[in-house]
Amino acid sequence: MFYPAAPLSSSLRAFGVLGGLVLLTGAGSAQAEMTHEAVATDAVTFSIERVADGLTRPWAVAFLPDGRYLVSERSGALNLVDDQGHIEALEGMPEVSTQGQGGLLDVVLHPAFGDGEHDWIYFTWSKPDQNGTRTALSRVRWEGDGLGELEHLFEQDRASGPGRHYGSRLAFLDDGTLVMSVGDRGSDPTRAQARDDHAGSTLRLTETGGVPADNPFVDDGATLDEIYTLGNRNIQGMTVRDNGELWVSEHGPRTGDELNLIQPGENYGWPEVTLGNDYATNEPLGVDAKPGMTGPAVALEGRFAPSGLAEVNSERFTAWQGNLLAGGLSSEKLERFVIASGRAVESEVVLEGEVGRIRDVRQGPDGGIYLLTDSDQGGLYRLLPTD
């Protein structure tokens, strides 16, 4: 199924800051405080709270039932963070490769987490392997205040360099299966079109790392059974909407970043179909469309560098119900997209530069919108409407 890049409405582009944005907590502060100033958008005025700071290149946040947070750092640390901003590194994680963009990456909880039987924390990481690395999936049991049994569930079929484009977002679908992104690994983009290679794809796995019997290519001897979609350059945002749709935000080449609605068995084109340009020459790299390949649902403007994606269904943000929020790294943006019929019909820049490079975007159980910032002094932030 092909969705052309959406011409986004400009009516929602403006945003402003009322009286200037002031974050009241300084580096190293344990106690989070609300701002007294508010960020105003077309539909919502909200404040920003720094929940925790002093995190080193954090990558993902997950929410424990007791109100505490799990935050991964690329260094390999999985941190337990309380509501006062205190950070404790947990013991029991594997040794990761931190070369380039590698490290400890995404973290999600089992959908039935909290019942005792399924208290598993799933995480992706860059596994060292001689002169290369692999994108890997593991899970560790939560034992109330620490980590217990560790299980390695899956790793991509081959190790390679040069230490980038791991992809590595995770999302549980409504049927209990787990989707995992694996980037093209950065050295040979054509791997994303190779059906005997996990690079440049999304994978669909069982909760124990096996192959679901109804995966789209299980009866295709030329394609690895785990592959769910092909032609994905480097997905770093992933969310399952209330209606069951799986959406991702994907790094393209220069000015070629995308939002995509993921459909099983589809080929999303990279590197043959792309709206991006060569980094050195700024010349187009591929074609806009090709038979049998799916173009972007949304072409993100400029050099967005997406990471983190969430749907808003919180009663606190009623004006944003059903919208997607995408974070940006080099753009330092949080952008809101109104979705209709598999494409974005309107967009609004919610933040641009106020908190820095945005690595992860999540909606919390409390209805707040949480952001992680990517820096040596990264922070966990919460957005809440002022009314």
Side-chain angles (χ1 to χ4, degrees):
M1 186 179 297
F2 173 68
Y3 294 105
L8 301 181
S9 166
S10 61
S11 64
L12 295 180
R13 278 297 185 192
F15 74 100
V17 180
L18 302 182
L21 179 65
V22 180
L23 294 176
L24 297 183
T25 54
S29 171
Q31 177 63 51
E33 298 181 54
M34 294 295 293
T35 63
H36 293 299
E37 308 298 334
V39 177
T41 69
D42 275 7
V44 175
T45 299
F46 60 87
S47 58
I48 303 178
E49 174 189 9
R50 184 182 291 161
V51 178
D53 60 5
L55 295 160
T56 305
R57 299 289 171 185
W59 217 89
V61 58
F63 307 94
L64 291 170
D66 63 8
R68 293 181 293 179
Y69 314 90
L70 294 171
V71 178
S72 62
E73 292 178 333
R74 281 189 41 224
S75 63
L78 181 62
N79 297 304
L80 180 63
V81 181
D82 67 18
D83 60 1
Q84 299 298 306
H86 298 121
I87 301 169
E88 175 190 355
L90 300 171
E91 296 183 357
M93 298 295 287
E95 182 179 350
V96 306
S97 169
T98 57
Q99 177 188 2
Q101 299 168 356
L104 179 59
L105 303 171
D106 209 7
V107 176
V108 299
L109 305 183
H110 189 283
F113 190 98
D115 68 359
E117 180 183 355
H118 299 96
D119 288 358
W120 290 105
I121 301 164
Y122 288 75
F123 61 94
T124 53
W125 54 296
S126 52
K127 180 182 179 182
D129 187 330
Q130 297 182 357
N131 294 325
T133 55
R134 303 172 189 256
T135 302
L137 169 70
S138 300
R139 68 179 185 177
V140 62
R141 186 172 289 279
W142 178 246
E143 296 186 343
D145 285 303
L147 306 179
E149 176 187 5
L150 177 67
E151 294 185 358
H152 298 304
L153 304 180
F154 174 85
E155 60 188 52
Q156 68 177 123
D157 61 305
R158 65 192 73 174
S160 59
R164 63 175 182 262
H165 293 195
Y166 290 96
S168 229
R169 285 295 178 190
L170 295 170
F172 277 97
L173 299 179
D174 293 343
D175 62 5
T177 58
L178 179 63
V179 176
M180 170 183 176
S181 68
V182 180
D184 69 2
R185 298 307 314 277
S187 58
D188 180 6
T190 62
R191 293 179 64 183
Q193 291 296 321
R195 293 174 176 265
D196 62 348
D197 190 341
H198 289 130
S201 66
T202 65
L203 313 177
R204 180 170 172 254
L205 307 169
T206 68
E207 65 178 49
T208 55
V211 177
D214 59 347
N215 262 8
F217 299 112
V218 291
D219 296 323
D220 181 350
T223 307
L224 294 175
D225 290 345
E226 296 87 358
I227 290 178
Y228 196 55
T229 64
L230 299 161
N232 301 108
R233 183 174 182 264
N234 191 23
I235 292 171
Q236 290 194 12
M238 184 179 291
T239 192
V240 179
R241 300 186 67 205
D242 276 354
N243 64 6
E245 291 178 351
L246 176 65
W247 281 77
V248 301
S249 56
E250 181 169 348
H251 281 258
R254 184 173 185 169
T255 67
D257 300 328
E258 304 174 358
L259 291 184
N260 283 308
L261 170 60
I262 294 296
Q263 304 273 21
E266 294 293 304
N267 185 334
Y268 289 83
W270 174 252
E272 297 177 26
V273 173
T274 174
L275 302 181
N277 298 334
D278 182 83
Y279 286 105
T281 66
N282 204 29
E283 294 296 320
L285 283 175
V287 297
D288 292 353
K290 190 172 183 179
M293 295 186 178
T294 302
V298 182
L300 297 174
E301 293 185 2
R303 301 183 73 170
F304 193 91
S307 189
L309 186 68
E311 183 186 32
V312 180
N313 51 35
S314 165
E315 293 182 358
R316 289 186 160 186
F317 289 89
T318 55
W320 291 357
Q321 287 286 311
N323 298 171
L324 295 180
L325 293 176
L329 291 164
S330 61
S331 66
E332 299 187 355
K333 287 182 180 180
L334 180 68
E335 190 158 358
R336 178 173 68 92
F337 296 90
V338 181
I339 304 298
S341 301
R343 59 186 290 174
V345 294
E346 295 175 343
S347 73
E348 175 186 30
V349 176
V350 175
L351 295 174
E352 186 171 9
E354 285 84 356
V355 297
R357 291 165 53 89
I358 298 174
R359 172 62 74 181
D360 198 13
V361 182
R362 310 271 176 158
Q363 180 179 282
D366 61 357
I369 304 301
Y370 287 78
L371 311 176
L372 272 180
T373 55
D374 175 57
S375 75
D376 290 334
Q377 288 290 319
L380 175 63
Y381 297 88
R382 175 167 52 206
L383 313 184
L384 289 172
T386 56
D387 56 1

